Each structure stands twice: as structure tokens, then as C-alpha cells.
């Protein structure tokens, strides 16, 4: 399917270094995958921990997950910009 090929080429151009795989070390892709999953699971853990904290102080509704995500962002990124 040409649409998938175009999307794949676009993502490859954005996320991989120029000349990949010849311009990188042998373990580059494995390292990149591991780093991606480490960041993903770290952020998920942070949101769940914030949600648990909110539940502990009595904020326990369906809106807890979005509130936990916003709180995690404010604590991590928002304060970091100050």
C-alpha cells in the first residue's frame, strides 16, 4: 500500500539519523527501542503514582486519571520551566 510506504519513509526520515543503518553503531536500534520503552513505562508509572496520591488524599472519581496526568505534567515540566 503506497500510503503505508509513504508514512514509513516519513517516520524513518524524522526519527532515524541520516544514513541509517550505516551511520550508526550496531546496537543503535536496540538502544533506541529500550530507551523508548523506558521513557514510556516511566511516564505511565508516574501517572499511576500521582493517581494513587490523589486517591489517598480523597480525590477518587473517574476524572482521577486525567487529573493525575495534569498534575504529573505540572510537577515535572511546568515547574521545570520556572
Amino acid at each position: 500500500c503506497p500510503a503505508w510506504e509513504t508514512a514509513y519513509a516519513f517516520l524513518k526520515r524524522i526519527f532515524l539519523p541520516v544514513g541509517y543503518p550505516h551511520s550508526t553503531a550496531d546496537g543503535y536500534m536496540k538502544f533506541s527501542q529500550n530507551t523508548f520503552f523506558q521513557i514510556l513505562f516511566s511516564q505511565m508509572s508516574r501517572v499511576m503514582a500521582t493517581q494513587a496520591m490523589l486517591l489517598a488524599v480523597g480525590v477518587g472519581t473517574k476524572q482521577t486519571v486525567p487529573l493525575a496526568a495534569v498534575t504529573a505534567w505540572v510537577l515535572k515540566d511546568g515547574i521545570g520551566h520556572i
Side-chain angles (χ1 to χ4, degrees):
C1 179
W4 286 109
E5 292 171 7
T6 304
Y8 177 74
F10 175 73
L11 292 172
K12 186 176 174 181
R13 189 173 30 136
I14 289 177
F15 290 107
L16 295 175
V18 175
Y20 177 82
H22 306 294
S23 63
T24 61
D26 291 337
Y28 176 79
M29 185 56 76
K30 189 68 171 170
F31 171 78
S32 296
Q33 289 172 342
N34 289 340
T35 301
F36 169 78
F37 286 114
Q38 186 273 327
I39 292 169
L40 175 70
F41 291 123
S42 174
Q43 294 301 318
M44 289 170 54
S45 174
R46 178 171 291 150
V47 168
M48 288 187 291
T50 306
Q51 180 183 12
M53 180 191 67
L54 291 170
L55 286 170
V57 296
V59 181
T61 64
K62 287 183 178 182
Q63 290 79 20
T64 302
V65 173
L67 183 59
V70 168
T71 304
W73 179 85
V74 168
L75 291 174
K76 179 183 171 281
D77 295 328
I79 293 175
H81 291 292
I82 295 175

